[in-house]
Amino acid sequence: MVEFKFIEYGTDFGTRDMGQKLRLKLLPLINGNEKVVLDFTGVNVVSNSFADECIAKLLLEMPLDELKKRTTFQGLNSMAERSILVALQRRYKVIKEAVTK
């Protein structure tokens, strides 16, 4: 397993700009051969917009089942976990609706 430690980039993540920057760093790891641990240990804040840009937009690169196989989360506080779950649910719904049209 490969660890991606968000604490190396800060403790508070609130912007889409930072989300995009970290998603672009994550993609080569996720597309590699090892499972990626998304380690949020020590991170205080994860906004909905950051979570969408960094994590949920990965669904534009691969199906949800594939993302689940290639990643796992670690060290999320309850607020960060909620932001990520909401972002994933919203993005998944948008993608699903686009496919059924």
Side-chain angles (χ1 to χ4, degrees):
M1 279 202 235
V2 174
E3 285 190 353
F4 187 90
K5 295 181 178 282
F6 283 83
I7 192 73
E8 292 177 7
Y9 301 95
T11 57
D12 301 311
F13 298 101
T15 66
R16 284 195 174 273
D17 186 50
M18 180 58 94
Q20 179 185 23
K21 178 181 170 186
L22 295 186
R23 178 171 37 85
L24 294 175
K25 289 181 179 290
L26 275 172
L27 267 173
L29 296 175
I30 292 171
N31 288 326
N33 294 326
E34 294 187 66
K35 191 166 193 165
V36 179
V37 178
L38 304 175
D39 187 0
F40 284 85
T41 303
V43 172
N44 299 317
V45 176
V46 174
S47 74
N48 288 338
S49 57
F50 174 86
D52 179 57
E53 193 70 39
C54 183
I55 307 297
K57 277 194 174 179
L58 292 169
L59 295 174
L60 299 173
E61 303 289 331
M62 66 193 72
L64 181 59
D65 289 343
E66 190 66 27
L67 184 61
K68 286 180 177 180
K69 287 179 194 170
R70 294 181 183 204
T71 61
T72 189
F73 290 89
Q74 179 175 297
L76 283 167
N77 66 38
S78 61
M79 293 297 289
E81 181 178 4
R82 178 159 166 54
S83 291
I84 291 169
L85 283 173
V86 167
L88 284 167
Q89 288 171 339
R90 288 178 181 164
R91 181 64 58 177
Y92 182 77
K93 183 179 176 185
V94 167
I95 291 169
K96 194 171 181 181
E97 287 173 357
V99 169
T100 59
K101 285 186 179 179

